[in-house]
Amino acid sequence: LIVPGARLGAMSQKRAHRIIRQLKSDRTPERRATAVEIKRAQAALTKINGRPPTARQIWTATKSKDVSRNVRNFQWKGLHGAHKVGEYFETMPSPWKELAQCPRCNCTESMQHILFECTDPARETIWQLAEDSLEKKIDSYPEVDLGTVWGCSAAVFEDEEKEAAAGKARAFRIIVSESAFLIWKIRCERRIQHEDDVNWTLSQEEIINRWRAVINMRISTDRLLTNKSRHKRGALGTQTVLHTWRSL
């Protein structure tokens, strides 16, 4: 293996592994579903950032530690079009074929449908809560669509102060991604735990409480991560946390 500029004697195992992964990635053709979702994310982010990010920028952003690991995995699968919903089941025999349909709406259950079209009241309530909270922080709240959910970690917002701009972007990526993931979890709860019972739904109060619990947990986690004696160089800056959650 010859890598220009890489000296074998000074090579660490971590760096060698990273180079090998990159070489393999460069040789692997992009999946059609992945290309579609990347373009979707680029289109959404163009409206927010004023210019389209590169695919590499989007993939790098999905590794942001600002987003919890479960949510990062959710976004990663979304960008690959790898969630097992809708069309995934359509070519299967019964009873799996029936899983392609949303039992509430009697239509194909795509991720677009789950997150933005389903008649489940939890979906609309959660997005309204997200919008209401972010409107207090972001002057012009952008339209959130499926591409925004997959690529929100690469969103950029402007402010006279650099730290305030970073805080807006961080709040946006956390609240949008966590809200989408909560909608997904409630959908899975309905379809799996409650076996597609169309009459099962959460009360308005419980939906609000679940969303607030998720956001409050993120705030609590951020506060704990500012402890420099415990987290050393991995600690969050106090100002980072304040600029993220102030005004919300």
Side-chain angles (χ1 to χ4, degrees):
L1 176 65
I2 300 175
V3 181
R7 294 177 58 190
L8 188 59
M11 180 74 68
S12 66
Q13 184 177 357
K14 181 179 180 180
R15 189 180 178 201
H17 181 62
R18 186 178 297 167
I19 291 171
I20 292 170
R21 286 183 60 187
Q22 184 61 52
L23 289 172
K24 287 184 177 180
S25 175
D26 291 343
R27 294 170 185 167
T28 304
E30 188 176 49
R31 296 170 64 249
R32 185 172 64 178
T34 304
V36 169
E37 298 304 329
I38 286 291
K39 288 181 180 178
R40 194 195 303 272
Q42 288 174 320
L45 289 165
T46 299
K47 298 175 184 177
I48 299 173
N49 299 353
R51 61 183 183 277
T54 64
R56 183 179 292 275
Q57 287 173 325
I58 292 174
W59 287 118
T60 300
T62 61
K63 300 175 184 178
S64 171
K65 295 296 178 66
D66 292 336
V67 179
S68 57
R69 180 175 296 179
N70 286 343
V71 179
R72 291 202 304 268
N73 291 340
F74 172 71
Q75 291 176 310
W76 184 88
K77 289 181 72 175
L79 279 168
H80 279 296
H83 286 290
K84 295 180 179 179
V85 297
E87 293 180 355
Y88 175 83
F89 295 102
E90 285 184 343
T91 58
M92 294 185 179
S94 294
W96 299 282
K97 186 174 183 178
E98 283 68 38
L99 295 175
Q101 298 291 306
C102 172
R104 289 185 62 92
C105 309
N106 294 318
C107 64
T108 301
E109 190 189 47
S110 63
M111 291 304 295
Q112 169 68 25
H113 177 79
I114 292 168
L115 296 180
F116 294 99
E117 298 168 359
C118 186
T119 57
D120 187 341
R123 180 195 62 77
E124 186 174 355
T125 299
I126 289 168
W127 283 128
Q128 190 60 57
L129 288 166
E131 181 177 347
D132 290 346
S133 63
L134 286 170
E135 277 186 336
K136 300 173 185 176
K137 193 169 191 69
I138 299 171
D139 298 331
S140 180
Y141 181 75
E143 179 184 355
V144 174
D145 58 20
L146 192 59
T148 317
V149 171
W150 302 151
C152 61
S153 292
V156 177
F157 294 91
E158 295 182 354
D159 195 280
E160 293 180 358
E161 297 182 16
K162 183 178 179 180
E163 293 81 2
K168 289 180 179 180
R170 190 168 185 269
F172 183 79
R173 71 175 66 105
I174 291 172
I175 291 177
V176 168
S177 62
E178 291 285 0
S179 296
F181 190 53
L182 179 58
I183 293 170
W184 169 252
K185 288 193 294 184
I186 292 173
R187 171 266 180 195
C188 292
E189 183 178 347
R190 183 183 71 249
R191 299 219 63 177
I192 299 170
Q193 292 175 236
H194 294 275
E195 299 179 338
D196 281 340
D197 181 358
V198 294
N199 295 316
W200 180 85
T201 186
L202 296 173
S203 68
Q204 188 78 352
E205 182 180 5
E206 190 170 3
I207 296 167
I208 293 171
N209 288 341
R210 286 198 186 191
W211 184 84
R212 286 177 176 169
V214 168
I215 301 305
N216 286 335
M217 178 62 72
R218 287 307 315 269
I219 295 172
S220 297
T221 300
D222 272 7
R223 290 175 61 189
L224 292 172
L225 287 173
T226 60
N227 188 330
K228 292 184 179 180
S229 61
R230 171 173 291 185
H231 300 288
K232 310 298 181 185
R233 288 184 296 177
L236 277 177
T238 301
Q239 290 303 312
T240 297
V241 176
L242 289 175
H243 281 296
T244 300
W245 301 111
R246 184 180 289 150
S247 302
L248 291 178

